[in-house]
Amino acid sequence: MKKYYFRQPYVAFFLYLCNLDKSQSGNAVRLPSTTDMKIGVIIAMDIEYRQMRDALGGDRGRLGNNEIVLWQCGIGKVNAAVGTMRLVDTHHPEAIVSTGLAGGIDTAMRVMDVLAATQSVYHDVDCGTGLGCDYGQVQGLPARFDAGRQLIDHALNVPLAEGERLMTGLICTGDQFITDRERLNDIKRHFPDGLACDMESAAIAQTCHLLGIPFLSLRVISDTPGRTDNHQQQWEDFLASMCDQSFRFVKKFLETL
């Protein structure tokens, strides 16, 4: 019989989560009253990670007054949650920022827009109204996870480069790369205020909510299935031509936080 071994910190972490009061609001947690923080930046894909590492000048260092730790979690909700746990266990950040790419599902979104997600929600979770849950809500947790208010406020005050656009609103997360128009319409039916889709943000937001860590998802729009039917080509073109400018806003946000 195969034996499984678990590192002690993860056992303690699991027991901690089991005893959390899940009604507590992670959004009430404020940033430390200091200008010298450790900020975890979590990212999913190899190409996103390399691009962000190049923009930051490494996977660990200082930007402005803060220490920055870049962490790759892998694609999808489970990888995102486990990656967030590992980041917290290893580096103990005082705030977490998720960055990378997202697909714009609203007609207002354009390629290269930056979305500062004020809320995150699951578009592929349905616990049923019989349990008193909204669509997308995990029982016992908020229907949507709010971003840290101070992080959002800071994002709104970062100077924009010429032609750069910052959007704020809802990001919808699920273990799907949205290519089907019917599926996109279904997401918009449940979440008409949804601006973009990704595969990690809500899972990271949930983990940060449970741990009481301020969180913000900052996503660069790579394709716009909400505006055009050629979004697959948009996605491929974006990956082929990704440049430092893609993550300029994220770097400036971290430098000035």
Side-chain angles (χ1 to χ4, degrees), residues 74-132:
I75 296 171
K77 295 185 298 185
V78 173
N79 278 334
V82 172
T84 304
M85 286 172 53
R86 293 182 62 203
L87 170 62
V88 172
D89 181 49
T90 304
H91 295 288
H92 313 292
E94 292 155 301
I96 290 178
V97 174
S98 167
T99 192
L101 308 181
I105 61 170
D106 191 86
T107 55
M109 303 303 289
R110 303 174 188 170
V111 172
M112 286 294 290
D113 282 350
V114 177
L115 174 63
T118 54
Q119 292 185 315
S120 305
V121 70
Y122 294 117
H123 68 67
D124 61 353
V125 169
D126 186 1
C127 290
T129 55
L131 295 177

Side-chain angles (χ1 to χ4, degrees), residues 43-93:
I43 201 160
M45 294 170 54
D46 289 340
I47 190 170
E48 297 168 324
Y49 181 83
R50 291 194 300 268
Q51 198 72 34
M52 194 65 202
R53 183 183 58 196
D54 290 345
L56 296 177
D59 57 13
R60 189 167 183 176
R62 298 193 70 84
L63 280 178
N65 295 317
N66 301 309
E67 180 181 355
I68 307 297
V69 177
L70 185 61
W71 190 274
Q72 185 176 6
C73 65
I75 296 171
K77 295 185 298 185
V78 173
N79 278 334
V82 172
T84 304
M85 286 172 53
R86 293 182 62 203
L87 170 62
V88 172
D89 181 49
T90 304
H91 295 288
H92 313 292

